[in-house]
Amino acid sequence: MPEKYGIIGYPLMHSLSPFMHNRYAYYMGQKESYEAFEILPERLSEDIKKLHDESVLGLNVTIPYKQKILNCICDIDECAKKIGAVNTLKYTDAGYVGYNTDAEGLKLSLMEAGISLKDKDVLILGAGGAARAAAYVSSVSGCSSISVLNRTLEKAILLAEDFEADAFDYSSLNKISKPEYIVFQTTSVGMYPDVNAMLPVPESLYSRFSAGIEVIYNPKETAFINSVSKTGAKIINGFSMLVNQALASRLIWHPEQTIPGEIRRKVYNECSDYSWS
Ligand code: ATR
């Protein structure tokens, strides 16, 4: 019997995870099945118990369950606790343990791009779950400062309190005053289908970006990436992070494995060519 894995969410129509994990398993020569389990909100705890009874060994967790799943797990990893969201579950006899691989995926992408956060000033656009992962990585990587810029100041302040950051909204752009920033774009602005939408970030601020990291992966080249690339700064696109957070899940499920760079590049290229239709 192949080992069973999958993703839970609702709805799950456009998830790339089954394709991505099947490709990783194929190249690693692993016999596993990876399925999309669309779970209705009112059935979450019941269905998680069922998947555990069926010995599903690992699950990815996506919208809208990254927080709700906290009520259905038997333990939580430190990083997931600090970020306040779980996107990966690992089977144990006592139940599922919750992890968050967004931070690890981000770290891998930064490493691949040769970007170090040590002693750097970091600017995070947005204050949702992805922003928390970016703040976590920045703080554990020894950055010099974290600034959070968000439409809703209250949310930026909440995040800032947890990660010793400074909070700003778009009315106080002039207070964002460091000469250079590594910038994480974590908002949904510019995501398909509204691909031309842009945050109200002035060109004068873009010119101080030394690197831009985008979390949106559809489209592959967002308006944010286009603007950052004009300044000559380094760029990480959302695909890189998507593929690396999947890789980080696999390393939690199979801690004994190393996935060679060649396989990672192949999966990345195949995902880049994946048709969303
Ligand atoms: P995720 O968990 O994926 O990070 P989220 O929690 O929904 O997603 O967060 C989305 C982020 O995009 C938020 O920071 C949101 O800003 P608000 O906190 O003000 O809602 C930001 N966002 C969404 N639409 C936006 C818009 N039109 N302009 C500016 N920011 C926007």
Side-chain angles (χ1 to χ4, degrees):
M1 278 274 278
E3 291 184 341
K4 288 190 269 190
Y5 296 88
I7 179 166
I8 60 160
Y10 186 83
L12 266 181
M13 282 177 301
H14 292 301
S15 174
L16 186 65
S17 293
F19 176 79
M20 207 159 39
H21 283 281
N22 283 326
R23 297 318 287 161
Y24 271 126
Y26 170 79
Y27 287 122
M28 293 299 290
Q30 279 170 279
K31 288 216 180 335
E32 68 174 48
S33 69
Y34 187 101
E35 271 181 66
F37 300 106
E38 204 168 57
I39 295 182
L40 288 171
E42 62 272 22
R43 290 191 52 92
L44 182 63
S45 48
E46 242 175 301
D47 283 4
I48 289 293
K49 197 177 167 307
K50 217 168 115 203
L51 292 170
H52 188 263
D53 289 344
E54 290 168 10
S55 297
V56 174
L57 296 183
L59 287 162
N60 288 121
V61 181
T62 187
I63 292 164
Y65 299 133
K66 288 185 180 191
Q67 267 105 32
K68 291 194 185 96
I69 199 72
L70 296 172
N71 299 322
C72 313
I73 55 182
C74 69
D75 202 0
I76 185 165
D77 160 76
E78 269 312 303
C79 160
K81 198 191 264 176
K82 181 84 185 172
I83 294 173
V86 158
N87 75 343
T88 299
L89 303 181
K90 182 176 181 164
Y91 181 98
T92 67
D93 288 342
Y96 286 112
V97 179
Y99 296 83
N100 187 307
T101 63
D102 287 339
E104 195 54 37
L106 253 179
K107 267 196 221 165
L108 288 168
S109 292
L110 287 162
M111 217 165 63
E112 283 169 3
I115 299 172
S116 163
L117 299 176
K118 178 111 182 73
D119 300 327
K120 297 285 167 48
D121 294 309
V122 169
L123 175 63
I124 299 174
L125 309 176
R132 293 187 73 86
Y136 177 84
V137 172
S138 303
S139 74
V140 297
S141 304
C143 72
S144 171
S145 72
I146 304 175
S147 301
V148 182
L149 173 60
N150 195 44
R151 177 177 60 179
T152 312
L153 183 61
E154 292 72 25
K155 284 204 217 160
I157 291 172
L158 282 178
L159 196 163
E161 280 170 0
D162 285 349
F163 292 95
E164 293 179 38
D166 297 311
F168 304 93
D169 65 10
Y170 289 93
S171 68
S172 55
L173 283 168
N174 58 335
K175 295 193 187 134
I176 300 177
S177 55
K178 305 277 188 208
E180 203 173 85
Y181 286 103
I182 294 184
V183 183
F184 292 90
Q185 194 311 102
T186 72
T187 76
S188 47
V189 177
M191 192 186 283
Y192 179 84
D194 202 1
V195 297
N196 293 319
M198 285 202 70
L199 288 167
V201 173
E203 255 177 54
S204 55
L205 187 51
Y206 273 106
S207 66
R208 285 189 272 144
F209 295 2
S210 62
I213 299 111
E214 170 68 282
V215 302
I216 294 173
Y217 52 84
N218 186 13
K220 280 166 211 154
E221 262 189 34
T222 60
F224 173 80
I225 287 186
N226 283 333
S227 297
V228 176
S229 57
K230 279 186 204 143
T231 72
K234 285 188 177 176
I235 290 167
I236 295 178
N237 70 23
F239 247 102
S240 157
M241 287 184 43
L242 182 73
V243 175
N244 280 331
Q245 61 79 28
L247 176 87
S249 299
R250 299 192 71 79
L251 296 177
I252 285 169
W253 298 331
H254 309 286
E256 73 292 348
Q257 269 183 15
T258 348
I259 303 183
E262 192 196 340
I263 291 180
R264 291 159 59 165
R265 276 187 294 280
K266 275 187 188 163
V267 175
Y268 175 89
N269 289 335
E270 288 178 15
C271 288
S272 279
D273 293 341
Y274 185 78
S275 158
W276 295 91
S277 51

